[in-house]
Amino acid sequence: MRKAKLLATCMTCALAGCAGDGKGLDENGRPEGESSGGTLQPTFQSIQANVFTPVCTACHAGAAAPLGLRLDEGASYALLVNAPSVEVPALRRVQPGNPDASYLIQKLEGTAARGGRMPLNQPALPAETIAVIRQWITNGAPNSPGASGGVGGSSKSRFELVTLTAISPARDEAVPAPVRDIVIASNVELDASLLQSNLIQLRASGGDGNFDSGNEVPVPVNVTVRSDLPSVLAITPRLAPLEADSYELRISGGDPVAMADMQARPIDGDDDGTPGGDFVLRFTVEMTR
Ligand code: HEC
Ligand SMILES: [Ca+2]
């Protein structure tokens, strides 16, 4: 059983070409070459390629990811940095600048108050690997190789469209209840002052999966900015986690107030290649079996 899983992990790794140098996992499921001072660097990209993708995504991927924690490329940063742990909500999964208070580190070191040591049912990561992840967090857990300033800080972004991406739930996805938050990422830094303007609306379908039948139920939400460069927004139902139903999240890209970046460029919410248009995300929350 375990052998099969490891083999599957190795194949995933080989297919993804992770580590960029043909290295995969050794027979203990550890990224090769690290203990011999290999390729792992204290940057998010290096940790993703050498640890999260080859070791963690065997479980932490897709709609069924444990505790909603997806560690695949594209989702992991938004779901780790400044995101509350489900097991110990008082702690963040990654608390920039403070590895000891970061639940991710506690899970990797086996000191967490709840659950097992990660990677679950596999040999622990080498101490040197955990030390590098600690260093990234000490450095402020930046999203880019540089010490600060993500892709949003580059001058190139002035000519890009402002886009939004559904991280969790993904578009049209069915996810198990309860859903504690909806996480959306941008490609640039959004103007957080606009979040006062009520431009994010969440509705439940009323049980019929239809959003035009008149029985829809508005769900009051709080919006928090998890990180800035680029922006990650967490949209949290104010009263209780989402129960089984279909949901529609709408972020305004037009009148009366559009979500926009720091240069007041509105989002290309409907993805038609020109600024403007609402961003609409539909997903279904399913009863947990
Ligand atoms: C074999 C499946 C499996 C693998 C591989 C795995 N995990 Fe997990 N992980 C789980 C399960 C199941 C839970 C919830 C139960 C628990 O904590 O024991 C969990 C919980 C967690 C949590 C707690 C999340 C929260 O919000 O409280 C973190 C952090 C985590 N894993 C990180 C990792 C990392 C990093 C790796 C790779 C080094 C990894 N896991 C590999 C199955 C796995
Ligand atoms: Ca309806």
Side-chain angles (χ1 to χ4, degrees), residues 5 51-52 55-60 66-67 69 71 80 84-88 93 103-104 107-108 114-122 125:
K5 177 153 277 160
V51 182
F52 296 155
V55 183
C56 314
T57 58
C59 301
H60 287 276
L67 308 178
L69 176 55
L71 291 174
L80 284 172
S85 151
V86 172
E87 291 181 332
V88 180
R93 288 167 173 164
Y103 198 63
L104 170 70
K107 292 297 276 184
L108 291 174
R114 294 189 55 193
R117 183 171 187 173
M118 296 296 137
L120 198 63
N121 304 328
Q122 290 176 29
L125 295 181

Side-chain angles (χ1 to χ4, degrees), residues 211-236:
F211 293 95
D212 293 310
S213 53
N215 64 342
E216 293 73 36
V217 185
V219 181
V221 293
N222 291 324
V223 183
T224 49
V225 179
R226 277 191 187 162
S227 41
D228 279 336
L229 293 170
S231 289
V232 174
L233 305 179
I235 297 152
T236 313

Side-chain angles (χ1 to χ4, degrees), residues 63 166 169-175 211 247 280-286:
R171 194 172 289 283
D172 298 324
E173 193 172 56
V175 289
F211 293 95
Y247 293 88
V280 180
L281 165 68
R282 288 186 179 174
F283 59 92
T284 302
V285 178
E286 293 186 323

Side-chain angles (χ1 to χ4, degrees), residues 113-137:
R114 294 189 55 193
R117 183 171 187 173
M118 296 296 137
L120 198 63
N121 304 328
Q122 290 176 29
L125 295 181
E128 311 85 76
T129 300
I130 298 175
V132 173
I133 300 173
R134 279 183 160 272
Q135 186 62 49
W136 168 66
I137 296 175

Side-chain angles (χ1 to χ4, degrees), residues 160-164 186-197 199-200 225 228 230-231 233 251-254 256-269 275-279:
E160 284 172 2
L161 289 163
V162 179
T163 60
L164 301 180
S186 183
N187 60 333
V188 297
E189 181 176 7
L190 298 171
D191 183 353
S193 70
L194 293 168
L195 296 173
Q196 322 279 334
S197 324
L199 43 64
I200 300 187
V225 179
D228 279 336
S231 289
L233 305 179
I251 303 181
S252 173
V257 181
M259 180 54 99
D261 74 349
M262 302 304 280
Q263 287 95 50
R265 300 177 307 166
I267 55 167
D268 175 17
D278 288 358
F279 173 86

